[in-house]
Amino acid sequence: MTQGNLLEVDWSKIPAPKDDGAANHLTGMTIPPVSLRATNDTAVTLSELTGRTVVFGYPRTGEPGKIGLVDDWDMIPGARGCTPQTCSFRDLFAELKAAGAKHVFGLSTQSNAYQTEMAGRLHLPFPVLSDEQLELSDALSLPTMDVADLTMIKRMAMIIDDGKITHVFYPVFPPDRNAGDVLEWLKANPV
């Protein structure tokens, strides 16, 4: 199936993910010292960042006009919506920063080369981190799903304060509202 417009989605036709409890353990955890490649050509170690950091994770962004990973991608709960989620963080970036987010990052298991192309195409004002080797995912036991022999992060967002996870948004649906939900939480919970 060819992917058309990745931003226009009728969420009423997409199955919502259920809370499987796979993120329940994350709040209060200390981020391990794992270095990840970023789309701004740096290595980022989340555990070393001071202040408030927002990290939103997702399975994988698509490419308009390209063949989807699997034909039934849209019917996998939580799979569809990575581009709308990412664009919502792009569109609210300045407001997230104004509400106390010192750093904002996207996170997926896609390669840094793919993410760099996507970040340029979508004009992202923040870096996207590649956990292609599943180092952070494994160290934190992040919620993941396996599709077409690939392990991908389930859609989520984490608030990290000085290297410790303060709050987790999981499951996330619809994806395009995630950044707004994070923004409201930041406003209600100033640093």
Side-chain angles (χ1 to χ4, degrees):
M1 175 175 78
T2 301
Q3 301 180 87
N5 186 325
L6 299 173
L7 293 173
E8 294 177 15
V9 182
D10 181 351
W11 298 115
S12 68
K13 295 181 180 177
I14 304 294
K18 304 290 186 224
D19 189 348
D20 57 6
N24 290 350
H25 65 285
L26 292 171
T27 301
M29 285 187 74
T30 299
I31 299 292
V34 173
S35 179
L36 300 174
R37 197 97 202 111
T39 53
N40 62 357
D41 204 30
T42 63
V44 174
T45 304
L46 295 170
S47 63
E48 295 176 357
L49 299 179
T50 58
R52 180 160 278 174
T53 301
V54 173
V55 178
F56 67 96
Y58 54 86
R60 61 186 293 115
T61 55
E63 292 181 84
K66 299 279 179 142
I67 301 297
L69 182 61
V70 293
D71 285 340
D72 62 347
W73 180 256
D74 287 2
M75 294 299 103
I76 300 169
R80 178 71 191 263
C82 302
T83 300
Q85 179 189 23
T86 301
C87 289
S88 72
F89 277 92
R90 175 198 65 199
D91 296 346
L92 291 177
F93 178 71
E95 291 176 64
L96 292 163
K97 297 282 280 187
K102 187 173 180 184
H103 309 278
V104 176
F105 297 100
L107 173 70
S108 82
T109 59
Q110 289 174 285
S111 72
N112 180 258
Y114 177 85
Q115 290 176 335
T116 299
E117 182 282 323
M118 177 272 303
R121 176 171 29 96
L122 298 179
H123 309 287
L124 301 183
F126 52 81
V128 179
L129 306 175
S130 174
D131 192 19
E132 189 175 16
Q133 302 303 315
L134 302 171
E135 293 175 83
L136 185 65
S137 296
D138 288 346
L140 286 173
S141 295
L142 293 180
T144 59
M145 62 182 179
D146 294 314
V147 179
D149 296 325
L150 297 173
T151 299
M152 295 169 272
I153 299 168
K154 288 185 178 180
R155 189 174 327 286
M156 62 180 306
M158 297 181 287
I159 309 297
I160 303 167
D161 289 311
D162 297 320
K164 188 172 185 175
I165 301 171
T166 305
H167 189 76
V168 176
F169 296 83
Y170 178 85
V172 169
F173 191 83
D176 61 345
R177 291 195 198 143
N178 187 212
D181 293 340
V182 168
L183 178 60
E184 290 308 310
W185 189 92
L186 292 175
K187 288 178 178 178
N189 297 277
V191 181

